[in-house]
Amino acid sequence: MTRCRAAFAPVRVLAAGVLAVASVGVVACASGPASVPDSGSVMGRLPAGTPVDYQLGGAYPPDPRVGIVARDRTAAPADGVYSICYLNAFQTQPSERDEWADDLVLRQNGADLMDPDWPDEALLDTRSDDAREAIAARVGEWIDGCAAAGYAAVEFDNLDTYTRSDGLLSADDNLALATLLVERAHRAGLAAGQKNAAEDAERLRAEAGFDFAVVEECAYYDECTAYTDVYGDAVVAIEYTDAIDRPFDELCADPAVPASLVLRDRDLTMPRDADYAFEICPL
């Protein structure tokens, strides 16, 4: 696995002011295979080994050294960097359950089946072709919106809902929906990112056609190679300050940990917030 290095020092910003906007040159590195060709702009292939910021809790100007930024689909992409659009594609967002038809939500004993870790998010029902096509059509509108806004890529979260569905869903059900979503992203000119789901990385890459991975706490759970063995350097990794078991500079020096690594606070707060934390590796 090739790792890119340059003369940058680590940066830690805790409860700091908003950073100034700056354009970032893309670091050229060898990476794993990708289905979407390089388009000559921020669109296309993930710039592997590039500093990253994960801003799902709110958009703010990224550190000038950052070259990849992930934001929620409701936010505009960051200027001058490779921007990833976050989509909760296999569960309902907390405020959007009423926007989903009951027959597209997984139900058990007459009630929505909820994610135990996110009890205000209902699992979507991926068991039938008709349901998967309907879900893909709705999420496809979000994908098209990400493309229109200027994002370079999308990441699809909660690919592993079958593991918390009381046996109602299967890995094959979710893989079939993931395949539809990746195809829709590619038609829109976007790269498609697998979010977490380490145990399914090989199938998601080979069968669904994902181009890169966005992973949380792979170092803490000792599963980074499950992604890098599949995607090479095309892996964006996030670790959290409340679950880190060794100094961050040791993580940065660990060849098993993806080069595009960021340390964030668990709630992904903004620079003006007291709990805000942000640190990147020297690349």
Side-chain angles (χ1 to χ4, degrees):
M1 181 176 66
T2 301
R3 296 173 70 90
C4 303
R5 298 295 180 196
F8 292 147
V11 59
R12 182 185 296 273
V13 184
L14 298 175
V18 175
L19 297 165
V21 177
S23 296
V24 178
V26 173
V27 177
C29 307
S31 66
S35 301
V36 179
D38 188 350
S39 67
S41 69
V42 293
M43 303 291 283
R45 188 185 301 272
L46 181 83
T50 300
V52 62
D53 194 1
Y54 206 57
Q55 298 186 0
L56 302 193
Y60 53 87
D63 184 288
R65 289 166 288 188
V66 165
I68 302 171
V69 173
R71 290 177 174 173
D72 187 78
R73 66 178 174 86
T74 59
D79 293 332
V81 300
Y82 187 95
S83 290
I84 301 171
C85 189
Y86 169 89
L87 300 177
N88 190 357
F90 288 74
Q91 298 183 174
T92 65
Q93 286 288 79
S95 61
E96 297 178 355
R97 168 59 183 92
D98 291 344
E99 299 176 18
W100 289 91
D102 285 348
D103 61 355
L104 298 182
V105 174
L106 191 64
R107 296 175 67 81
Q108 186 177 54
N109 300 322
D112 293 352
L113 192 59
M114 311 303 288
D115 184 328
D117 292 327
W118 299 91
D120 50 1
E121 296 187 13
L123 279 60
L124 297 178
D125 191 343
T126 63
R127 290 177 292 184
S128 71
D129 288 341
D130 288 346
R132 289 191 291 265
E133 289 174 3
I135 294 168
R138 177 171 174 76
V139 177
E141 295 177 358
W142 302 344
I143 294 170
D144 292 346
C146 293
Y151 280 95
V154 287
E155 60 167 303
F156 298 118
D157 199 7
N158 290 310
L159 292 155
D160 61 350
T161 52
Y162 71 91
T163 65
R164 47 188 178 274
S165 68
D166 287 345
L168 297 177
L169 304 178
S170 71
D172 287 342
D173 294 331
N174 282 16
L175 178 65
L177 174 57
T179 302
L180 295 176
L181 297 177
V182 171
E183 290 172 350
R184 180 68 174 260
H186 288 172
R187 288 199 302 272
L190 303 178
Q194 167 189 338
K195 176 70 174 290
N196 295 330
E199 64 276 13
D200 298 319
E202 289 188 12
R203 292 192 70 192
L204 289 168
R205 174 69 181 99
E207 300 178 42
F210 279 99
D211 305 297
F212 66 95
V214 177
V215 305
E216 294 173 293
E217 303 187 282
C218 74
Y220 184 74
Y221 290 108
D222 194 24
E223 60 184 17
C224 293
T225 56
Y227 301 103
T228 56
D229 285 351
V230 174
Y231 293 100
D233 271 348
V235 178
V236 169
I238 306 99
E239 298 291 326
Y240 293 109
T241 52
D242 63 349
I244 184 171
D245 54 7
R246 49 181 161 151
F248 188 66
D249 58 355
E250 289 186 15
L251 292 180
C252 293
D254 187 340
V257 176
S260 292
L261 172 67
V262 64
L263 182 67
R264 289 296 327 265
D265 57 285
R266 175 71 62 178
D267 292 330
L268 299 172
T269 60
M270 299 179 68
R272 63 174 178 263
D273 298 317
D275 293 333
Y276 174 76
F278 167 78
E279 187 172 356
I280 56 176
C281 294
L283 290 173

